[in-house]
């Protein structure tokens, strides 16, 4: 069982900011911005490469819920970044698809 599945199961504590029947969002333990939340589906999907017609609904639900989470965290109006890392070269360190919602500061481009 991966670390995110253990967090979903309650085996590892997290600082939850949002939860429903499909997804969980919690504060990152190593934040890269004043607001840094990890958003995960409760269904184990390894990466963006594993999105299928059968599981894509939960990914759509994540993106439908992101603005609500951003409002709750006070970053909706000022702006925020949503990042997904896919695979080792893409910087993915946990093999459970997740999205980083960051805000509270300006971000440059390229990403950094």
């Amino acid at each position: 069982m991966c670390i995110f599945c253990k967090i979903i199961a309650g085996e590892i504590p997290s600082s939850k900011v949002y939860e429903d029947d499909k997804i969980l969002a919690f504060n990152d333990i190593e934040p890269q911005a004043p607001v840094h939340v990890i958003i995960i589906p409760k269904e184990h999907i390894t990466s963006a490469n594993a999105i299928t017609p059968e599981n894509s609904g939960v990914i759509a639900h994540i993106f439908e819920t992101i603005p609500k989470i951003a409002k709750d965290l006070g970053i909706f109006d000022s702006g925020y970044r949503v990042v997904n890392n896919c695979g080792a070269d893409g910087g993915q360190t946990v093999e459970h698809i997740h999205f980083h919602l960051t805000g509270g500061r300006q971000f440059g481009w390229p990403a950094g």
Side-chain angles (χ1 to χ4, degrees), residues 18-57:
Y18 178 86
E19 183 175 19
D20 64 27
D21 62 325
K22 296 178 183 175
I23 66 175
L24 174 65
F26 53 92
N27 288 310
D28 193 299
I29 61 171
E30 295 182 13
Q32 303 299 306
V35 174
H36 188 164
V37 172
I38 304 294
I39 305 169
I40 58 175
K42 290 184 174 179
E43 173 185 352
H44 184 87
I45 301 169
T46 57
S47 73
N49 288 340
I51 296 171
T52 66
E54 292 75 29
N55 66 22
S56 62

Side-chain angles (χ1 to χ4, degrees), residues 66-87:
I66 285 171
K68 178 191 182 332
I69 296 170
K71 283 181 187 176
D72 291 347
L73 297 174
I75 59 172
F76 180 85
D77 291 326
S78 59
Y80 52 89
R81 177 174 279 174
V82 179
V83 174
N84 169 259
N85 301 322
C86 183

